[in-house]
């Protein structure tokens, strides 16, 4: 199918994110289910698969969110292990990709490579690994390496970590197992999986013991908006999980990260840009806007509003009234200690400028602290009738602001169903979303080329 200008229409990639430890989920809504019981994950995954989504995504959530020694009042408390859930979902799905975050700071590449190669086998080629870094001491307190890794080294370690993992994935080329029952010869190659890696972070040598998986290796995701993160994605990733869901910001990010790929000898089409996106649907656009306002007030309590403000102000603001005005004092520009390492903190590159913008907005609109936080943090990406939302998604993809979206419903597991029932058929009518799975692996769903039997570049 082509556009009115005669150019081929891009196919939209859709994925579903089961939200983790944060206030996106309105757990107090009677329609919300457990975030611990497997039934919730099963129902969510099977809804996504019935709607022909590319994959389901789980974040890592290594520690419950705290600030000033208190867990956020609206957070879902408790998060089962990502990898265990994905392995269980492999047994109750057949086509849906299974993507999960595992960080490169607190793990070892050998064990992570074994886990993802195994998941790729169990799922017949549907595994994806979201490689993230973590340097904050808060999360690190749960690990023996708490806080040891300087911020400037985290991407260097991530690159070395991924290089080791790729070396392990490629240590088998798929010809090693003979399995000759007559001769009793199991191996055609006497010492499969041999590897040796020495660099600034790792000095390991041995045998990788998981044969080559259906995709050769899992699809590689990267999540991060920093300069280092964009460069890492351009060099290494098959898809990037971004936060830019609006037209101008999305197109700028899309052009920037794909433009960086040329120097690495990569085809820009082999990196998919997939922003996270929330949505609120109504029978009409007006009804959806009313519902969206209700959801935002459910997601931002008075305590949550103060916590969000502290992340910019870098001060304890617990004595302030969330229904009152913003503090007259300025943000503390010293070392950030209130919520060190959070993405929601790092996004404020110039706290004084942001504080000035927020004060001007609050004064102009008469916003309290809570009302301001509702307006400036985490607003829903798509709000409207199913037709309005379908057209907005299609416009963003066709204008190169994204290749698709990772949808995050505020009600889990049931919140994805309305989108699947009402928006997906409209995208299919437009000819921009599949009407059946045409491949079996996640690489095929994403339109990524098959990997060669042995990637010499990765192992070099």
């Amino acid at each position: 199918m082509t556009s009115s200008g005669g150019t081929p229409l891009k196919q939209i990639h859709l994925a579903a994110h089961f939200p983790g430890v944060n206030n996106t989920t309105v757990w107090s809504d009677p329609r919300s289910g457990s975030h611990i019981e497997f039934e919730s994950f099963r129902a969510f995954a099977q809804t996504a698969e019935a709607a022909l989504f590319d994959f389901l995504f789980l974040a890592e959530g290594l520690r419950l969110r705290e600030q000033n020694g208190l867990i956020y009042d609206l957070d879902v408390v408790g998060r089962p292990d990502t990898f265990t859930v994905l392995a269980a979902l492999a047994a109750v799905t057949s086509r849906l990709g299974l993507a999960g975050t595992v960080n490169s700071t607190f793990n070892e590449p050998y064990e992570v490579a074994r886990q993802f190669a195994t998941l790729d086998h169990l799922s017949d080629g549907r595994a994806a690994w979201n490689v993230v870094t973590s340097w904050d001491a808060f999360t690190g307190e749960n690990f023996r390496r708490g806080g040891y890794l300087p911020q400037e080294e985290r991407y260097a370690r991530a690159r070395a970590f991924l290089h080791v993992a790729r070396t392990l994935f490629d240590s088998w080329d798929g010809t090693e197992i003979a399995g000759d029952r007559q001769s009793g010869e199991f191996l055609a190659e006497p010492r499969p999986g041999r590897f040796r890696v020495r660099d600034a972070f790792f000095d390991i040598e041995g045998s990788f013991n998981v044969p080559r998986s259906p995709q050769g290796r899992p699809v590689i995701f990267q999540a991060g908006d920093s300069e280092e993160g964009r460069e890492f994605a351009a060099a290494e990733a098959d898809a990037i999980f971004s936060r830019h869901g609006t037209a101008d910001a999305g197109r700028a990010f899309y052009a920037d990260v794909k433009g960086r790929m040329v120097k690495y000898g990569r085809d820009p089409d082999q990196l998919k840009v997939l922003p996270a996106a929330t949505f609120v649907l109504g029978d009409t656009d007006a009804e959806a806007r009313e519902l969206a306002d209700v959801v935002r007030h459910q997601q931002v309590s008075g305590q949550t509003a103060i916590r969000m403000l502290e992340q910019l102000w870098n001060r304890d603001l617990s004595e302030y009234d969330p229904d009152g005005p913003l503090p007259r004092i300025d943000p503390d520009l010293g070392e950030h200690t209130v919520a060190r390492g959070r993405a929601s903190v790092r996004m404020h590159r110039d706290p004084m400028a942001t504080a000035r913008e927020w004060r001007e907005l609050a004064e102009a609109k008469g916003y309290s602290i809570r009302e301001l936080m509702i307006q400036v943090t985490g607003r829903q990406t798509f709000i409207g009738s199913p037709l309005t939302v379908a057209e907005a998604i299609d416009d963003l993809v066709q204008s190169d602001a994204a290749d698709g979206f990772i949808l995050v419903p505020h009600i889990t597991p049931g919140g994805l169903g309305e989108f699947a029932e009402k928006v997906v058929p409209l995208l299919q009518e437009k000819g921009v979303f599949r009407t059946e799975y045409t491949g079996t692996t996640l690489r095929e769903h994403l339109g990524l080329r098959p990997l060669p039997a042995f990637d010499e570049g990765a192992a070099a």
Side-chain angles (χ1 to χ4, degrees), residues 352-431:
M352 292 296 288
T354 303
R356 185 166 56 248
E357 292 172 9
W358 285 4
R359 281 177 173 138
E360 291 172 356
L361 178 61
E363 290 172 5
K365 299 289 186 179
Y367 290 150
S368 64
I369 291 174
R370 184 184 179 206
E371 287 296 335
L372 180 70
M373 292 299 101
I374 287 171
Q375 297 300 322
V376 300
T377 63
R379 291 185 59 78
Q380 298 92 345
T381 313
F382 300 113
I383 302 171
S385 69
L387 180 60
T388 296
V389 171
E391 290 181 341
I393 290 174
D394 188 35
D395 287 345
L396 289 169
V397 171
Q398 302 308 328
S399 63
D400 287 341
D403 291 308
F405 292 91
I406 301 175
L407 299 168
V408 192
H410 63 275
I411 301 292
T412 48
L416 190 63
E418 186 179 20
F419 186 97
E421 294 170 7
K422 297 180 179 179
V423 180
V424 167
L426 296 174
L427 296 174
Q428 291 170 327
E429 288 176 12
K430 286 174 167 288

Side-chain angles (χ1 to χ4, degrees), residues 2 20 65 185 226 242-243 265 301 345 382 406:
T2 61
R65 296 197 310 170
E185 182 182 56
S226 66
S242 85
R243 62 182 177 84
S301 66
V345 172
F382 300 113
I406 301 175

Side-chain angles (χ1 to χ4, degrees), residues 173-336:
D173 65 13
T175 63
E176 294 86 350
I177 296 178
D180 189 332
R181 298 178 186 275
Q182 296 299 317
S183 67
E185 182 182 56
F186 188 82
L187 289 174
E189 158 61 45
R191 302 185 71 190
R194 296 294 299 172
F195 69 90
R196 180 178 183 179
V197 178
R198 284 184 175 176
D199 58 33
F201 296 94
F202 304 105
D203 182 0
I204 56 176
E205 178 178 2
S207 298
F208 190 55
N209 61 358
V210 183
R212 190 171 182 82
S213 71
Q215 294 186 111
R217 61 166 170 78
V219 172
I220 301 298
F221 276 59
Q222 199 276 331
D225 191 36
S226 66
E227 178 69 18
E228 295 91 343
R230 294 183 186 208
E231 206 66 31
F232 183 64
E236 306 283 358
D238 300 308
I240 183 167
F241 189 177
S242 85
R243 62 182 177 84
H244 301 288
T246 60
D248 291 342
R251 279 193 286 270
F253 180 83
Y254 190 97
D256 178 74
V257 73
K258 295 214 174 194
R260 297 171 187 239
M261 297 177 68
V262 176
K263 63 186 174 191
Y264 297 106
R266 301 188 64 203
D267 179 351
D269 190 50
Q270 295 301 294
L271 173 68
K272 304 303 179 186
V273 177
L274 303 173
T278 54
F279 61 90
V280 177
L281 299 174
D283 289 339
T284 65
D285 291 351
E287 181 184 80
R289 286 193 293 271
E290 291 179 7
L291 290 172
D293 186 63
V294 172
V295 172
R296 287 298 293 152
H297 280 79
Q298 291 173 319
Q299 292 173 326
V300 183
S301 66
Q303 189 221 59
T304 297
I306 293 295
R307 297 290 177 267
M308 290 175 168
L309 198 67
E310 288 176 339
Q311 292 176 4
L312 177 70
W313 250 255
N314 194 28
R315 295 176 184 272
D316 181 352
L317 302 176
S318 57
E319 298 301 318
Y320 282 80
D321 180 359
D323 294 319
L326 268 67
R328 291 183 179 277
I329 58 173
D330 288 330
D332 182 348
L333 300 182
E335 182 181 1
H336 206 295

Side-chain angles (χ1 to χ4, degrees), residues 78-102:
R79 178 75 190 198
D81 176 67
T82 294
F83 210 92
T84 306
V85 174
L86 292 178
L89 289 176
V92 296
T93 55
S94 60
R95 293 295 187 91
L96 185 69
L98 301 169
T101 296
V102 174

Side-chain angles (χ1 to χ4, degrees), residues 14-16 48 51-55 96 407 416 419 424 433-434 437:
L14 293 177
L52 306 173
F53 278 28
D54 291 47
F55 61 91
L96 185 69
L407 299 168
L416 190 63
F419 186 97
V424 167
F433 190 67
R434 65 173 64 89
Y437 285 116

